[in-house]
């Protein structure tokens, strides 16, 4: 059994700089007890003592900590960093289990409030939807005992798989500064986040949130990172002990042994599992509690999620992949690593026989790649916390054939001191190039032991790799620059090519040795593909240099299946072998075939009436019945579709026939957005065929029916979003619904799209197009099945995977630019000063709003009192200087804003402000005033007062 730190919530860490490193010290501090905030906006009713307006004897210029955010900040143990409300939902059973077993206090950073998501319960969008989703999140995480949610106020603009676009919209350094501030303020030992890699379908916002978390883990302890937080705001540098990804690459297991039975794709990864079948308070499993928590996200359609299995043995694990740790970890394969607190051991929990909490243990290699036969120095660093480590020594284990030499004796490591041993590792000359291995350090001492690891890769003199997609190259560069080299190479390299066509395939050859190299690189192609040559040479490649070796590859068998129906999951595997100096290295990239067609020119424009008359649409019939996400169709009548494409003059014509047996939710025309919630068709066009993300594409979605009777269309997640009449003037749409008496809910859609609406002039030989059909058989605004022409998971955000459509004979107008126009992307997000739940949170745990600083002493304002006077609430405010104040009257019973007002305070001292109430505002006993003041020089102060 493991032992929790005693007690978890009664220890707080401070940091000081010594010899360039962060030394951790402990001091006792009172903390808020469990239960101060349990469910959603219910925190508003539990904020501060009832009737309290000011701490006795507080100075007139001093905000009372009991009712403002000017107190001592909360000390967290675990901090999850996500992009949207619900991103933490798959980890809630673990957070709840840890709270139950060890009183671990967890918090959540949510970069956006999810304004770009759907809404299955109403017409709210933008900031109103953001507030709705924030309340849902607070309710959901509260079920796992999570009381602290920090919204950073960045915009959720739309679904994208591009981290670079996300960085451009959010401003990477601006958000990183906020995440670092929250980490320094709340001081969590464990940081948890999402997958930073551009894996197929992985949301670009999720990738960026993970990058922010990983960088903050590394930078928060560095006083030179965002130094004004230290020198001007008074925050202390703080280094978390461990960072985890809430994901795993491998085959998951079920039952209580799932922590140790997961089959990892990469066995060098350190992965811990927490079984969701354990019993929560009340007797239900934590898996059941987590599912109920997930159902709180009703706006996202999650209320309809099915029950999890009642049999605990049928439930699996939450898995966490460790990216880095500064403290000893539970050794994989041991009994300790199979415990539900394994991910916390060394940071928050002391395992049996383990070194005391506060001990540090790190393994440092000079880089990811080691050259076989050449010695590599590896440093193992050990630090003692409050307890000295007597007779300390370290050893380093490597795979068979790898040599380790050096003295690991450290002697006595005094409390607060560090020691290091330099060991020499030599990979055997015959080590398999590209093979990753784990170097495992073991610490022994008189007071306990520890384990840590570092992943390295045996390097060939020269390696050849398929040239990466832009987003993959950007990720690899990020991982290298930010000190997480083991995150490189986690995404398979692919290139798409048109069915029956040719594609230049570039191989990047890099010399990792210290001498110039000559050699060859060779392609091993799957059946149905050929190349201009299967092997090509390179000569005199200088050390550290790279060269591109181009091949021209042809899909010689045009009958091969395309998209996710081809190859293995859509990938046709290639073997790439690069040889130099008698040593060969291999990699396994893939080719992905996309469908192609020719859109013929017609003599006349079609009549857009939803009928599709003879000879109006002569293009070949395209099959849109491939499933790329969601449930499989029960039959062709349940969900299937075909399409025809043609062009006339300067417009593209589209005819889509959809087979359906049940009509999904019929929405108002004013609610013509977020088309994936119900039956719809989406037309996606990349005019040049080279877009990295959808911001330089055109995407229009059509709902076949509205409550007003006709169809509607809008643009989303593209170069310009909004209602069709505003964003696509001149586009024509018509839909003919099947007669319901026939038992069919199918429809025929006809549309013409002026090509001048596209963000750039069309390249008639390379234009990329995809057609998606969304099918819903429910009335709760939740989709079930997604079909299309060129299909992979997340393909709606992957223009490079769309099909190729040639417009034979078409030439764009000479004055139409081939450079895409600048995208118009929504930038409106709810600010925390406009969110009563966020204001209440700040008062509860004394963490400033939105990841920003606290208001300076001379520019603060707070509530002193609130009294109802007839049809208004009179708020008494004290200010120390100029400030702007957002005042909100909140109804604790209805959980909603009753009234609000923004006031400008120009001087110090007390003032009174009337906040008019609407008729029937409710019983005075259920009202509170929540306020957030903002300083002219930046910074906020939150406060609360019950209405008397």
């Amino acid at each position: 059994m493991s032992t929790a730190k005693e007690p978890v919530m009664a220890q707080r860490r401070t940091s000081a700089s010594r010899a360039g490193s962060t030394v951790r010290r402990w001091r006792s501090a009172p903390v808020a007890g469990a239960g101060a905030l349990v469910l959603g906006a219910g925190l508003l009713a539990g904020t501060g003592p009832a009737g309290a307006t000011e701490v006795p004897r507080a100075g007139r210029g001093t905000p009372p900590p009991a009712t403002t955010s000017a107190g001592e900040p909360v000390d967290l143990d675990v901090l999850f960093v996500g992009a949207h409300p619900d991103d933490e939902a798959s980890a809630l059973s673990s957070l709840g289990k840890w709270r139950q077993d060890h009183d671990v206090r967890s918090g959540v950073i949510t970069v956006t409030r999810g304004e770009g998501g759907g809404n299955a319960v109403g017409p709210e969008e933008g900031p109103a939807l953001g507030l709705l989703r924030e309340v849902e999140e607070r309710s959901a995480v509260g079920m796992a005992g999570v009381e602290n949610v920090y919204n950073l106020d960045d915009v959720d603009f739309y679904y994208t798989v591009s981290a670079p676009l996300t960085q451009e919209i959010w401003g990477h350094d601006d958000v990183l500064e906020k995440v670092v501030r929250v980490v320094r303020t709340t001081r969590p030992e464990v940081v948890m986040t999402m997958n930073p890699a551009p894996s197929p379908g992985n949301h670009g916002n999720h990738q960026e949130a993970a990058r922010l978390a990983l960088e903050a883990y590394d930078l928060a302890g560095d006083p030179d990172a965002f130094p004004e937080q230290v020198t001007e705001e008074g925050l202390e540098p703080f280094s978390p002990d461990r960072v985890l990804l809430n994901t795993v690459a491998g085959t998951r297991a079920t039952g209580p042994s799932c922590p140790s039975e997961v089959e990892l794709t990469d066995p060098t990864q350190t992965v811990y599992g927490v079984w969701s079948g354990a019993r929560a308070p009340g007797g239900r499993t934590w898996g059941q509690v987590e599912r109920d928590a997930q159902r709180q996200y009703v706006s996202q359609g999650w209320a309809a999620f099915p029950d999890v299995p009642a049999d605990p043995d049928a439930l699996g694990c939450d898995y966490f992949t460790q990216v880095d740790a500064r403290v000893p970890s539970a050794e994989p394969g041991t009994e300790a690593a199979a415990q539900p607190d394994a991910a916390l051991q060394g940071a928050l929990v002391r395992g049996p026989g383990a070194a005391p909490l506060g001990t540090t243990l790190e393994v440092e290699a000079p880089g990811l790649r080691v050259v076989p036969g050449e010695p590599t120095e590896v440093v193992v660093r050990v630090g003692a916390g409050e307890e000295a480590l007597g007779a300390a020594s370290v050893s380093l284990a490597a795979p068979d054939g790898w040599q380790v030499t050096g003295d690991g004796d450290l002697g006595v490591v005094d409390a607060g001191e560090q020691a290091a041993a330099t060991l020499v590792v030599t990979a055997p000359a015959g080590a398999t190039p590209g093979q990753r291995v784990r170097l495992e350090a073991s610490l022994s001492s008189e007071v306990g032991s520890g384990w840590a690891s570092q992943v390295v890769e045996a390097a060939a003199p020269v390696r050849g790799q398929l040239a990466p997609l832009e987003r993959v190259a950007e990720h690899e560069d990020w991982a290298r620059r930010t000190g997480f080299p083991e995150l490189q190479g986690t995404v398979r390299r692919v290139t798409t090519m048109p069915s029956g066509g040719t594609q230049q395939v570039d191989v990047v050859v890099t010399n990792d040795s210290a001498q110039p190299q000559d050699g060859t690189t060779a392609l091993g192609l799957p059946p149905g593909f050929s190349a201009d040559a299967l092997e090509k040479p390179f000569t005199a490649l200088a050390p550290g240099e790279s060269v591109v070796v181009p091949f021209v590859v042809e899909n010689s068998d045009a009958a091969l299946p395309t998209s996710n129906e081809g190859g293995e999951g859509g990938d046709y595997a290639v073997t790439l072998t690069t040889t130099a100096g008698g040593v060969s290295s291999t990699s396994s990239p893939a080719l992905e075939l996309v469908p192609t067609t020719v859109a013929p020119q017609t003599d006349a424009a079609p009549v857009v009436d939803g009928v599709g008359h003879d000879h109006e649409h002569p293009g070949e019939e395209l099959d849109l019945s491939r499933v790329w996400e969601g449930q499989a169709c029960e039959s062709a009548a349940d969900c299937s579709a075909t399409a025809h494409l043609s062009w006339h003059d300067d417009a593209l014509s589209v005819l889509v026939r959809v087979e359906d047996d049940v009509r999904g939710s019929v929405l108002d025309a004013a609610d013509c957005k977020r088309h994936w919630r119900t039956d719809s068709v989406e037309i996606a066009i990349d005019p040049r065929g080279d877009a990295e993300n959808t911001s330089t594409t055109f995407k229009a979605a059509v709902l076949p029916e509205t409550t007003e009777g006709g169809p509607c269309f809008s643009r989303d997640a593209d170069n310009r979003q909004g209602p069709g009449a505003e964003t696509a003037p001149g586009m024509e749409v018509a839909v003919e619904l099947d007669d319901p008496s026939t038992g069919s809910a199918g429809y025929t859609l006809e549309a013409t799209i002026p090509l001048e609406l596209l963000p750039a002039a069309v390249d008639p030989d390379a234009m990329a197009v995809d057609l998606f059909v969304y099918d819903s058989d429910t009335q709760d605004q939740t989709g079930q099945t997604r079909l299309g022409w060129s299909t992979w998971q997340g393909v709606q955000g992957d223009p490079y995977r769309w099909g190729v459509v040639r417009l034979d004979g078409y030439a764009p107008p000479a004055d139409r630019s081939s450079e895409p126009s600048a995208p118009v992307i929504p930038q409106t997000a709810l600010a925390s000063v406009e969110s009563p739940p966020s204001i209440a949170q700040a008062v509860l745990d004394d963490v400033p709003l939105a990841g920003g600083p606290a208001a300076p002493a001379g520019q603060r304002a707070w509530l002193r009192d609130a009294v109802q006077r007839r049809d208004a609430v009179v708020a008494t405010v004290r200010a120390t200087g100029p400030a702007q104040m957002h005042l909100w009257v909140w109804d604790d019973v209805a959980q909603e804003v009753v009234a609000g007002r923004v006031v400008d305070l120009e001087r110090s001292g007390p003032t009174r402000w009337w906040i008019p109430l609407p008729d029937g505002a409710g019983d005075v006993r259920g009202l509170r005033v929540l306020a957030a003041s903002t300083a002219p020089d930046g910074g906020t102060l939150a406060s609360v007062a019950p209405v008397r």
Side-chain angles (χ1 to χ4, degrees):
M1 297 293 293
S2 300
T3 303
K5 65 181 188 181
E6 302 291 336
V8 170
M9 297 306 297
Q11 293 179 321
R12 179 165 299 185
R13 303 199 301 184
T14 61
S15 302
S17 178
R18 177 183 296 179
S21 63
T22 299
V23 179
R24 298 174 178 82
R25 305 190 185 278
W26 296 89
R27 63 179 174 84
S28 297
V31 297
L37 162 62
V38 178
L39 295 179
L43 74 127
L44 295 160
T47 301
T53 58
E54 190 164 329
V55 174
R57 293 187 297 277
R60 292 190 175 186
T62 304
T67 57
T68 73
S69 58
E72 182 74 11
V74 66
D75 184 356
L76 296 179
D77 300 302
V78 175
L79 181 64
F80 184 99
V81 181
H84 318 100
D86 73 36
D87 283 348
E88 74 294 316
S90 63
L92 291 179
S93 65
S94 296
L95 300 182
K97 175 67 173 169
W98 294 338
R99 184 71 182 250
Q100 176 188 25
D101 290 352
H102 302 295
D103 200 22
V104 166
R105 187 162 192 168
S106 302
V108 176
I109 286 178
T110 305
V111 178
T112 81
R113 287 181 171 82
E115 298 93 341
N119 186 356
V121 295
E124 295 89 352
E125 59 180 324
L129 177 58
L131 181 58
L132 174 63
R133 294 194 65 182
E134 177 185 348
V135 172
E136 290 176 346
E137 180 177 33
R138 293 182 182 278
S139 178
V141 302
M143 291 185 172
V146 178
E147 304 171 352
N148 308 85
V149 178
Y150 308 107
N151 296 100
L152 301 189
D153 294 1
D154 288 275
V155 66
D156 177 32
F157 48 98
Y158 56 63
Y159 174 81
T160 179
V161 292
S162 173
L165 179 63
T166 303
Q167 293 171 12
E168 180 180 345
I169 301 304
W170 287 357
H172 179 81
D173 289 349
D174 292 340
V175 188
L176 179 60
E177 179 179 7
K178 292 190 281 189
V179 177
V180 167
R181 183 180 284 110
V182 174
V183 171
R184 286 172 171 170
T185 302
T186 62
R187 309 171 76 76
E189 283 80 0
V190 177
V191 172
M192 184 187 302
T193 189
M194 312 183 80
N195 180 6
S199 305
N202 189 18
H203 201 310
N205 291 181
H206 296 171
Q207 298 172 46
E208 175 64 3
R211 295 185 186 192
L212 293 165
L214 289 162
E215 291 186 46
Y217 163 85
D218 201 43
L219 294 176
D222 181 359
D224 293 328
F226 306 109
E228 67 285 348
Q229 295 182 8
V230 178
T231 59
E232 297 178 15
E233 299 173 31
L235 297 176
E236 294 180 342
F238 176 82
S239 294
D241 291 332
R242 176 170 292 131
V243 61
L244 306 167
L245 305 184
N246 182 26
T247 185
V248 64
T251 303
R252 298 167 180 261
T254 57
S257 60
C258 60
S260 56
E261 291 187 351
V262 58
E263 296 181 11
L264 300 177
T265 303
D266 179 0
T268 67
Q269 292 187 331
T270 299
V271 175
Y272 302 114
V274 182
W275 180 45
S276 64
R279 297 293 175 179
R284 295 188 304 152
T285 64
W286 274 111
Q288 291 170 318
V289 174
E290 180 178 89
R291 179 48 50 91
D292 283 349
Q294 292 169 343
R295 287 168 174 158
Q296 302 305 303
Y297 295 105
V298 292
S299 69
Q300 303 310 292
W302 289 21
F305 276 10
D307 291 342
V308 300
D311 179 5
D313 288 343
L315 295 175
C317 274
D318 293 342
Y319 289 107
F320 303 101
T321 299
Q322 181 168 293
V323 177
D324 193 61
R326 299 182 171 101
V327 296
S329 303
E331 182 178 357
T334 64
E335 182 179 351
Q339 299 304 308
D341 59 16
L344 308 179
Q345 291 179 28
L348 294 164
V349 174
R350 185 176 182 180
L357 292 179
T359 302
T360 63
L361 178 63
E362 298 180 82
V363 185
E364 299 176 0
L368 176 66
R369 295 183 179 88
V370 296
V371 179
E374 296 184 7
T376 299
E377 289 190 348
V378 176
V379 179
V380 181
R381 300 187 186 279
V382 176
E386 290 188 338
E387 188 172 353
L389 303 176
S393 66
V394 294
S395 61
L396 196 63
D400 290 344
W402 291 58
Q403 294 183 352
V404 179
T405 59
D407 184 4
D409 185 19
L410 302 176
V412 176
V413 182
D414 291 328
E417 297 296 331
Q418 286 191 346
T422 299
L423 305 175
V424 177
V425 175
T426 305
T432 302
Q435 179 185 14
R436 290 192 174 185
V437 302
R438 190 162 57 195
L439 304 178
E440 301 178 294
S442 295
L443 164 69
S444 64
S445 75
E446 292 178 345
V447 293
S449 61
W451 178 91
S453 70
Q454 176 67 52
V455 174
V456 295
E457 180 180 296
V462 177
R463 56 191 163 94
Q465 294 178 296
L466 184 71
L469 297 171
E470 183 178 342
R471 68 188 62 164
V472 174
E474 193 270 344
H475 171 261
E476 300 270 300
D477 180 64
W478 168 83
R480 188 166 43 249
R481 286 187 294 103
T482 54
F484 298 102
E486 65 274 20
L487 295 179
Q488 299 176 72
T490 57
V491 179
R492 188 178 197 178
R493 297 197 175 190
V494 302
T495 189
T496 56
M497 61 183 305
S499 175
T502 60
Q503 175 72 41
Q504 179 170 308
V505 174
D506 290 335
V507 177
V508 180
V509 178
T510 302
N511 183 358
D512 287 326
S513 75
Q515 295 82 32
Q517 296 285 346
D518 300 335
T520 61
T521 187
L523 295 180
L525 295 173
F529 295 86
S530 59
D532 58 339
L534 294 180
E535 182 178 286
K536 294 188 178 183
F538 56 88
T539 59
L541 184 60
E545 296 296 320
S546 297
V547 65
V548 173
V549 179
F551 292 83
V552 178
V553 176
E554 180 183 3
N555 171 215
S556 53
D557 181 0
L560 287 178
T562 65
S563 307
N564 57 357
E565 293 182 352
E568 181 179 348
D571 288 350
Y572 288 93
V574 174
T575 300
L576 181 58
T577 304
T578 302
T579 304
V583 178
S584 296
S585 64
T586 62
S587 60
S588 300
L591 303 172
E592 296 183 335
L593 285 178
V594 299
T596 63
T597 192
V598 174
Q601 182 179 10
T602 59
D603 294 332
V607 177
V608 181
D609 55 8
V611 175
H613 301 282
D614 291 343
H615 311 299
E616 277 191 322
H617 301 276
E620 69 171 314
E621 183 173 275
L622 309 180
D623 181 9
L624 309 188
S625 300
R626 297 186 181 100
V627 176
W628 52 281
E629 284 181 355
Q631 303 171 8
C633 301
E634 295 181 359
S635 65
D638 174 33
C639 49
S640 60
T642 59
H644 298 265
L645 299 175
S646 59
W647 68 276
H648 176 75
D649 196 12
D650 194 37
L652 182 71
S653 298
V654 182
L655 178 72
V656 178
R657 171 61 196 172
V658 176
E659 303 296 338
D660 192 5
D661 58 353
V662 177
R663 178 84 69 238
S665 303
V666 179
L667 307 177
D668 296 340
D671 198 19
C672 189
K673 57 184 182 297
R674 315 296 192 259
H675 52 278
W676 57 85
R677 300 171 298 160
T678 189
D679 296 332
S680 65
V681 171
E682 184 177 21
I683 304 165
I685 307 172
D686 173 11
R688 308 298 300 173
D690 60 359
E692 192 280 328
N693 60 72
T694 60
S695 69
T696 55
T697 71
F698 174 97
K699 296 177 72 182
V702 180
L703 305 187
E705 183 182 10
T706 62
T707 56
E708 291 85 349
C712 67
F713 70 98
S714 63
R715 291 177 62 177
D716 178 67
D718 71 344
N719 191 252
R720 185 185 177 197
Q721 301 86 56
E726 299 174 11
T727 61
M731 178 175 170
E732 296 183 69
V733 171
V735 174
E736 182 75 15
L737 303 175
D738 288 359
D739 184 346
S741 66
T742 65
S744 172
Y747 55 94
T748 301
L749 180 154
E750 200 170 14
T752 60
I753 302 169
L755 295 179
E756 66 179 356
L757 295 176
L758 307 187
V762 164
D763 180 342
D765 295 319
M767 184 175 73
V769 172
D770 221 335
L771 301 167
F772 306 119
V773 177
Y774 297 81
D775 179 67
S776 173
D777 293 343
T778 76
Q779 300 304 307
D780 58 8
Q781 298 187 37
T782 57
Q784 277 72 54
T785 305
R786 298 178 177 185
L787 311 175
W789 183 39
S790 186
T791 51
W792 278 270
Q793 182 182 3
V795 71
Q796 77 270 42
D798 274 339
Y800 78 95
R801 284 176 159 171
W802 297 351
V804 176
V805 176
R806 293 205 318 270
L807 303 183
D808 282 357
Y810 174 80
D815 60 351
R816 190 170 296 168
S817 175
S818 61
E819 291 296 320
S821 56
V824 179
I825 295 179
Q827 295 286 322
T828 304
L830 183 72
S832 288
V833 295
E834 299 168 334
S835 167
S838 289
I839 296 170
Q841 177 78 75
V843 175
L844 179 74
D845 63 13
D846 299 304
V847 177
L849 292 166
Q859 298 176 4
R860 299 188 294 194
W862 63 93
L863 290 167
R864 291 282 304 272
D865 194 14
V867 180
Q868 187 170 14
R869 292 285 187 265
R870 298 194 182 100
D871 57 354
V873 169
V874 180
T876 301
V877 172
R878 173 166 288 278
T880 61
Q884 186 178 77
M885 200 164 197
H886 294 253
L887 298 162
W888 304 103
V889 179
W890 180 264
D891 186 331
D892 284 333
V893 177
Q895 296 287 286
E896 64 183 12
V897 172
V898 176
R901 183 177 181 184
V902 179
V903 299
D904 290 316
L905 308 172
E906 298 179 354
R907 58 182 177 81
S908 61
T911 53
R912 289 186 174 88
W913 300 92
W914 286 69
I915 309 172
L917 296 175
D919 294 338
D923 193 323
V924 66
R925 289 173 295 180
L927 300 181
R928 291 174 181 264
V929 176
L930 291 145
S933 70
T934 58
D937 293 338
T940 61
L941 180 70
S943 57
V944 62
V947 177
R948 296 188 289 109

